[in-house]
Amino acid sequence: MSKITRRTLLSTLAMAPAAAAMAQTEAPPEAAVYIISPRDGQRVRNPIVVRFGLRNMGVTQASSAARNAGHHHLLIDVDDPVDLKEPLPSDKNHLHYGGGQTEARIELTPGRHTLQLVLGDADHRPFTPLLQSQKIGIFVGSPRAAKAKK
Ligand SMILES: [Cu+2]
């Protein structure tokens, strides 16, 4: 590779993140994301099946450029507000469903937890306006307590 070509390539790469940060994907009007189940305040047991609801938009895979579509993110025990300018983090509290899933089976420690859905675009960034569900609280029973009831 010649010196000039190499420099051109590097400057092109350097520009890419800035361009990505500027463009925010707009959600269509009346779009809404919600948790179908479990319900707010519900007592559940592992494994917990969480069903994702989405109105007026489609579910697609991560990195898909389909219009008016995105993929679900499940936020577990997250208190901080979503950063509107950054891709959603990927860690044990921010689960990505980039395969286009509309439900998830999760395991949580016994006790209280919160669940919330956020729809993300092809690059895992929140839409404008932000599409997030109501944050629900659930109580996960311990397997021991479940057995004792029988
Ligand atoms: Cu994602």
Side-chain angles (χ1 to χ4, degrees):
M1 197 184 279
S2 78
K3 226 173 190 175
I4 290 167
T5 313
R6 199 190 164 94
R7 189 175 298 153
T8 309
L9 182 66
L10 285 175
S11 61
T12 307
L13 287 174
M15 274 159 58
M22 274 168 62
Q24 298 238 277
T25 309
E26 276 187 36
E30 312 290 315
V33 62
Y34 54 99
I35 297 175
I36 298 167
S37 67
R39 303 240 173 245
D40 190 25
Q42 193 176 330
R43 280 179 163 269
V44 293
R45 259 187 269 160
N46 287 315
I48 304 148
V49 176
V50 185
R51 295 198 166 83
F52 311 154
L54 182 60
R55 205 162 31 228
N56 242 35
M57 260 184 101
V59 174
T60 189
Q61 296 179 343
S63 81
S64 156
R67 266 181 65 84
N68 295 339
H71 66 279
H72 287 287
H73 300 83
L74 182 59
L75 276 51
I76 303 169
D77 300 331
V78 173
D79 289 328
D80 296 332
V82 171
D83 187 336
L84 302 176
K85 301 227 183 319
E86 294 293 328
L88 288 144
S90 185
D91 54 38
K92 66 179 172 54
N93 298 102
H94 300 79
L95 306 180
H96 291 240
Y97 294 93
Q101 299 95 317
T102 55
E103 66 171 50
R105 191 174 289 257
I106 58 169
E107 301 253 351
L108 295 174
T109 55
R112 287 181 196 288
H113 294 277
T114 64
L115 300 176
Q116 187 174 32
L117 286 175
V118 178
L119 200 74
D121 69 7
D123 300 319
H124 314 277
R125 294 167 310 167
F127 281 86
T128 307
L130 175 63
L131 289 176
Q132 66 180 359
S133 75
Q134 181 203 342
K135 188 188 286 182
I136 65 161
I138 56 168
F139 184 86
V140 181
S142 69
R144 205 144 129 241
K147 256 185 212 159
K149 263 188 203 167
K150 280 181 186 166

